[in-house]
Amino acid sequence: MHGLARLTEIWVYLAASPLLGLTTTLVAYLVALWVYRRLGFNPLANPVLIAIAIVVSILTVTGTPYKTYFEGAQFVHFMLGPATVALAMPLYKQWNKLRHAAVPLLLGLAAGSITAVVSAVGIAYAMGASPQIMASLAPKSATTPIAMAISERFGGLPSLTAVLVICTGILGAVLARYVLNFLRIDSHPVRGFALGVASHGIGTARALQVSAEMGAFAGLGMGLNGVFTAIVVPLAMPVFLRWIGA
């Protein structure tokens, strides 16, 4: 009993420090990565998904507010910017291949991005979702900052959009291998670009684990899809919302 009380005191002390969020995040990801490796890098054991589950469980059990957690976790959040910029290196190394495949890549980008938006909004509309939910869903395949900004502009819920973006990324990273194998698509550039367009950063991270070539094309797909979504959704959403009388 005394040991439990002591443990509680230690947790209360740690909870007051911004390092709590950073430590929790890093430890959760290291555990998730260990599980991922032990299972032979099986896509179903996606480390991001496992790490999120661990962090959510810890915060729920301890009653730690998200605001308190994020005071420390924001350091990891800040590193997303440099990590994204660092993707320019594998892109540069694959520049010749990228240049020669420009037209097919742009056509694939348009097809993938439009399909992601139309399918999400169309299914939500068919199921009777509100315009707010549809606005939150529309940019789900773009990177989080872009998706949240688009969602907020059209009356969506940025927090819901952030969750949807993460879910989309994890789902793509988990299922892409099986879908692409089923379609007998073996080309690393094609597989990588598809992952980047459909699953943004999480899909790109998965592609980089396979090969630098695949990661480079995934990074390109992620970046281009973010720009394309930021242009297409603001143009299409007002027309769609007027059409449904919202």
Side-chain angles (χ1 to χ4, degrees):
M1 194 71 180
H2 176 73
L4 181 60
R6 182 62 179 165
L7 186 61
T8 302
E9 290 176 6
I10 294 174
W11 178 260
V12 171
Y13 171 77
L14 290 174
S17 170
L19 289 177
L20 172 69
L22 178 61
T23 304
T24 302
T25 304
L26 294 178
V27 170
Y29 187 75
L30 287 174
V31 171
L33 193 59
W34 178 82
V35 173
Y36 185 48
R37 286 172 175 165
R38 290 285 293 178
L39 294 177
F41 299 100
N42 191 312
L44 295 176
N46 186 276
V48 176
L49 177 61
I50 295 174
I52 289 174
I54 293 173
V55 171
V56 170
S57 298
I58 292 174
L59 297 184
T60 302
V61 171
T62 60
T64 303
Y66 177 77
K67 184 178 180 181
T68 302
Y69 160 75
F70 192 70
E71 285 178 1
Q74 63 181 323
F75 297 112
V76 178
H77 180 75
F78 170 78
M79 293 305 295
L80 287 174
T84 302
V85 174
L87 291 172
M89 286 305 297
L91 277 174
Y92 174 75
K93 293 178 180 179
Q94 301 293 330
W95 175 246
N96 287 332
K97 291 182 180 179
L98 293 171
R99 184 163 51 87
H100 289 108
V103 174
L105 289 176
L106 290 175
L107 291 174
L109 168 68
S113 186
I114 292 173
T115 298
V117 175
V118 172
S119 61
V121 175
I123 293 172
Y125 175 70
M127 296 181 69
S130 67
Q132 186 178 50
I133 297 299
M134 287 187 280
S136 303
L137 273 167
K140 66 174 180 57
S141 289
T143 55
T144 304
I146 295 175
M148 291 177 70
I150 295 173
S151 172
E152 186 174 21
R153 178 177 175 181
F154 293 100
L157 300 170
S159 56
L160 175 59
T161 299
V163 173
L164 292 169
V165 169
I166 294 172
C167 290
T168 299
I170 293 174
L171 192 64
V174 169
L175 297 180
R177 173 182 173 183
Y178 303 106
V179 173
L180 293 170
N181 285 346
F182 176 78
L183 296 174
R184 297 184 179 180
I185 297 174
D186 300 320
S187 169
H188 277 203
V190 176
R191 291 173 76 103
F193 193 74
L195 259 175
V197 171
S199 307
H200 47 80
I202 298 176
T204 299
R206 171 60 184 157
L208 283 167
Q209 292 176 340
V210 178
S211 71
E213 182 183 36
M214 190 171 172
F217 278 84
L220 179 65
M222 177 185 70
L224 290 178
N225 186 49
V227 175
F228 193 84
T229 302
I231 295 172
V232 170
V233 173
L235 292 175
M237 277 304 290
V239 176
F240 176 74
L241 293 175
R242 282 198 301 270
W243 179 67
I244 65 174

